[in-house]
Every structure is written in structure tokens, then in C-alpha cells.
């Protein structure tokens, strides 16, 4: 029986998983030719950058070229379905994000299940940042919250579609009663571009990749209580939410 393997990045829960497709038996010594790593999001996003950073080390270890192939669309569904349609011969991997695998299954009736993939490697722990432009009037999370309450329907928050970034936005909207415009994008790169272009008020995105935009941006809250060297003085979101009598998972 063939088994399916794939790669995930978890932002709030914090794990990146590397997964692939291997047969139970093979008639050739593996690997003997290039391996394709499918990234189910657009080039330039956090997951794409992690996969491209990881690829040279995987290639050196396996002694074959590692080719990154971006297949974006439908909150990652396009790339995952493409991966699952490839031969289960060990020459196609998928770099993906969890809960980006789960949310299309639960909310979009994706034509695959978590049982179709198997974990090969947990690679990265990451955090989510609420990020604004440096010239933004929102110096703190409290400033941001007060502005949302004072201007219902006027503040815009962008995020990559379908993962923990979107879940954090929805949780904050629900728990704090925010009347905001939520703007999903197909990748972290597009989300960052929207902020830098002044098209949105704030973004909820990968903390480390957002920090690469400094000094043009600043973070006002992080999803992790673990201090990040790139944002050493930014508070943990649940510490901030105590003021409002709520918490997030």
C-alpha cells in the first residue's frame, strides 16, 4: 500500500511539518533523480521562503537536486491536490501549513482528508504578529482596539487566507466585538505588500517575515509568550487581552 507524506507550518500552534509520498516497495534505489517540493502558496511568502531555505540542506543530504514548485490557489487546496495526484514514488513532497490543511477540509469541503497525508518531519516553530506601518497612529494594541471601536467598519485587517493568521483575526473579531473589514490574500507576500502600499490598516502575518520589513513596520502584539529576538519588546496577545476580560486558545 502506498503512503502519502507532506510539509506543514503551524503559526499559532507553532510547528512546520515536512511530508512526502513514498511507496512501501521500490524497484530503484531512492533517490536517484530530482525531488520536487510543492509549495501550495505563491512565491515570496513565509512558507515559500522556509521551503527554499530548507531545500539546499535536504538536497545535500540526499545527494539529488531539490526543485521548488509553487502551485497557489484555493487556500492551498490546489497545491495539495496536485501533490496527491502525483505518483507515490517519493519524488514529490509538499510544503504546507497546519491549520491550512484542516481549514479547507472543515469549511470548504476539500476533496482530501488529513488521512491522505503522513508527517515526515516537524521543522519550524513560528509565531504570528499583528503588524502596522511605522507611521501608523496605532502605537499599541490598545490604540488599535480603541480606533476599531470608534470607527466601526472602517479599519481593515489583512492576512494570508485559510490558516492560523485568519483564525487569529476571526477570534479577535469575535471575542472583542470588532466591526472590521477582514481582507484575505493568497500569500504572506501579498499581505505584506498590501500593508507597505497603505492599502490596509494592519496585517496578521508571520512574525519573523514581518520583521524583515523593519524599520518600515512595527508589531503591536504577538501570538506567542516566547520572546522573539526580532520583536524583543512586543507583548503577548493574551497578556493584552486580560484587560478586556478574554483570552484566545
Amino acid at each position: 500500500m502506498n503512503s502519502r507524506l507532506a510539509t506543514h507550518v503551524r503559526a499559532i500552534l507553532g510547528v512546520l511539518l515536512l511530508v512526502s509520498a513514498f511507496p512501501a516497495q521500490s524497484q530503484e534505489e531512492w533517490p536517484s533523480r530530482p525531488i520536487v517540493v510543492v509549495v501550495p502558496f505563491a512565491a515570496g511568502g513565509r512558507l515559500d521562503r522556509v521551503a527554499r531555505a530548507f531545500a539546499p540542506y535536504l538536497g545535500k543530504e540526499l545527494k539529488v537536486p531539490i526543485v521548488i514548485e509553487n502551485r497557489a490557489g484555493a487556500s492551498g487546496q490546489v497545491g495539495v491536490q496536485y501533490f496527491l495526484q502525483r505518483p507515490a514514488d517519493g519524488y514529490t513532497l509538499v510544503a504546507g501549513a497546519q491549520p491550512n490543511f484542516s481549514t479547507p477540509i472543515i469549511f470548504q469541503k476539500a476533496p482530501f482528508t488529513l488521512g491522505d497525508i503522513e508527517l515526515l518531519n516537524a521543522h519550524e516553530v513560528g509565531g504570528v504578529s499583528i503588524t502596522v506601518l511605522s507611521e501608523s497612529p496605532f502605537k499599541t494594541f490598545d490604540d488599535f482596539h480603541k480606533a476599531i471601536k470608534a470607527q466601526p467598519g472602517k479599519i481593515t485587517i489583512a492576512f494570508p487566507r485559510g490558516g492560523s493568521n485568519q483564525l487569529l483575526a476571526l477570534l479577535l473579531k469575535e471575542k472583542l466585538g470588532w466591526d472590521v473589514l477582514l481582507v484575505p490574500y493568497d500569500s504572506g507576500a501579498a499581505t505584506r505588500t498590501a500593508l507597505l502600499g497603505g492599502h490596509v490598516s494592519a496585517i496578521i502575518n508571520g512574525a519573523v517575515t514581518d520583521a524583515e520589513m523593519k524599520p518600515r513596520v512595527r508589531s503591536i502584539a504577538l501570538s506567542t509568550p516566547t520572546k522573539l529576538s526580532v520583536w524583543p519588546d512586543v507583548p503577548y496577545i493574551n497578556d493584552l487581552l486580560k484587560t478586556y476580560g478574554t483570552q484566545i486558545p
Side-chain angles (χ1 to χ4, degrees), residues 1 3 14-15 21 30-31 52 64 70 74 78 85 97 99 101 109 118 138 166 168-169 180 183 195 197 199 210 244:
M1 179 182 296
S3 59
V15 182
W30 183 92
R52 291 178 188 278
V64 295
N70 295 88
V78 170
Q85 292 165 1
F101 280 113
K109 298 183 179 179
E118 294 180 28
F138 313 130
Q166 183 171 359
L168 179 56
V180 294
V183 186
L195 179 65
H199 304 301
D210 278 6
Y244 310 104

Side-chain angles (χ1 to χ4, degrees), residues 115-154:
D116 294 326
I117 57 176
E118 294 180 28
L119 172 64
L120 176 64
N121 182 52
H123 180 63
E124 186 200 35
V125 174
V128 173
S129 168
I130 302 176
T131 305
V132 299
L133 290 173
S134 294
E135 62 267 26
S136 168
F138 313 130
K139 305 298 183 185
T140 65
F141 181 82
D142 190 55
D143 290 341
F144 188 52
H145 174 71
K146 288 177 178 177
I148 291 171
K149 291 298 188 179
Q151 305 172 62
K154 300 295 184 182

Side-chain angles (χ1 to χ4, degrees), residues 155-159 166 168-171 173-174 178-185 200 204:
I155 303 296
T156 52
I157 303 174
F159 43 78
Q166 183 171 359
L168 179 56
L170 292 171
L171 282 167
K173 184 175 186 291
E174 175 187 329
W178 283 356
D179 182 359
V180 294
L181 177 62
L182 300 181
V183 186
Y185 285 88
V200 294
I204 298 180

Side-chain angles (χ1 to χ4, degrees), residues 4-39:
R4 297 282 185 184
L5 308 145
T7 305
H8 312 215
V9 177
R10 283 162 64 164
I12 291 181
L13 299 183
V15 182
L16 177 118
L17 318 170
L18 180 64
V19 187
S20 96
F22 283 99
Q25 297 179 344
S26 176
Q27 296 187 3
E28 66 176 22
E29 183 177 350
W30 183 92
S32 60
R33 51 190 169 88
I35 294 173
V36 173
V37 176
V38 177
V39 176

Side-chain angles (χ1 to χ4, degrees), residues 31-108:
S32 60
R33 51 190 169 88
I35 294 173
V36 173
V37 176
V38 177
V39 176
F41 298 96
R46 177 185 179 195
L47 180 57
D48 178 68
R49 293 155 70 103
V50 170
R52 291 178 188 278
F54 187 80
Y57 298 95
L58 185 61
K60 182 179 180 180
E61 180 70 22
L62 298 179
K63 298 180 174 58
V64 295
I66 306 297
V67 180
I68 303 297
E69 187 172 328
N70 295 88
R71 289 187 174 263
S75 302
Q77 286 191 61
V78 170
V80 175
Q81 289 185 67
Y82 171 78
F83 160 72
L84 291 172
Q85 292 165 1
R86 304 296 296 167
D89 57 7
Y91 290 98
T92 306
L93 315 180
V94 60
Q98 177 65 351
N100 293 76
F101 280 113
S102 300
T103 49
I105 294 169
I106 296 169
F107 298 112
Q108 299 172 333

Side-chain angles (χ1 to χ4, degrees), residues 218-238:
R218 65 170 172 270
S219 175
I220 57 175
L222 295 175
S223 70
T224 172
T226 303
K227 290 296 183 182
L228 299 180
S229 60
V230 292
W231 299 112
D233 302 318
V234 178
Y236 173 40
I237 185 66
N238 270 338

